[in-house]
Amino acid sequence: MQIAETNRLIFSKITVDDAPFILELMNSPGWIKYIGDRNVKTVEQAKSYIQNNQLKCYEDFDFGYYKVQLKSENLKPIGSFGLLKRDTLDHVDIGFSLLPGYEGLGYGFEGASQLMVLAKDTFNIKTVCAITLPENQASIHLLEKLGLSYQKRIKPFDNGEELLLFVKNL
């Protein structure tokens, strides 16, 4: 189900049929390095991950992560952009990930900008936040370009890893 589009991208809800793509994305070097290994190594595990995460988010909050497809490549899925309400954060969290061959080509800013519009206009979200590893300079740059401001260092998860928190009022 299409949610939005930009000049080059289409946003659609993720379904269990997207498991092969989600498996590829979750095992890409950038995902492993900056988001973390979720131990999803088979299509069946990816289907389960989608059911327990993406589909549950849509059901609980009406928003979640979306598959981003490239119009110029016959709607090839190239990444996932989304909104997530985490118990450990005060505001809805914006996140994004692209397959390696599509990084650094402006898709991150184009997709994340559209996601900010969705957050405000479709889901009536007043404030968004983002968390990232201090060494993820590309993500930090994108968050700042989107108008999010660094707030502080936090440890939102049980693993005790320190992350940078960025926030923007919409």
Side-chain angles (χ1 to χ4, degrees):
M1 173 181 181
Q2 183 174 325
I3 300 298
E5 71 178 277
T6 67
N7 288 339
R8 301 184 295 172
L9 306 171
I10 300 268
F11 285 68
S12 303
K13 283 188 173 182
I14 295 171
T15 71
V16 291
D17 292 338
D18 295 312
F21 163 66
I22 294 299
L23 177 65
E24 178 184 7
L25 184 65
M26 292 180 74
N27 286 286
S28 66
W31 182 293
I32 298 292
K33 182 176 181 179
Y34 295 120
I35 298 172
D37 190 346
R38 299 294 189 256
N39 202 29
V40 174
K41 305 299 179 194
T42 67
V43 170
E44 286 306 312
Q45 289 173 332
K47 286 180 181 178
S48 179
Y49 183 87
I50 291 166
Q51 289 169 332
N52 296 327
N53 293 282
Q54 279 90 352
L55 299 184
K56 186 174 182 337
C57 267
Y58 301 147
E59 185 178 308
D60 291 350
F61 303 107
D62 289 331
F63 55 77
Y65 270 78
Y66 303 99
K67 170 180 63 178
V68 176
Q69 298 165 282
L70 193 56
K71 290 179 182 179
S72 67
E73 289 189 28
N74 200 26
L75 300 182
K76 175 183 175 33
I78 63 165
S80 176
F81 289 65
L83 301 163
L84 185 61
K85 182 59 188 119
R86 300 178 194 267
D87 293 338
T88 56
L89 296 174
D90 293 335
H91 305 290
V92 173
D93 178 24
I94 184 172
F96 36 81
S97 181
L98 290 166
L99 290 172
Y102 299 92
E103 296 169 346
L105 301 173
Y107 298 122
F109 182 70
E110 184 176 337
S113 295
Q114 180 61 45
L115 195 57
M116 298 288 274
V117 170
L118 282 171
K120 181 181 179 188
D121 296 346
T122 302
F123 302 116
N124 201 30
I125 294 169
K126 304 293 185 207
T127 305
V128 294
C129 72
I131 50 177
T132 189
L133 290 166
E135 63 269 19
N136 190 345
Q137 291 301 309
S139 183
I140 291 167
H141 176 73
L142 178 53
L143 294 171
E144 290 173 340
K145 191 172 178 182
L146 291 168
L148 282 85
S149 299
Y150 170 75
Q151 299 295 301
K152 61 185 175 182
R153 291 176 177 261
I154 61 172
K155 295 180 182 178
F157 305 118
D158 292 339
N159 65 7
E161 189 167 44
E162 191 172 69
L163 302 174
L164 304 181
L165 174 69
F166 291 79
V167 177
K168 179 178 182 175
N169 293 321
L170 301 178

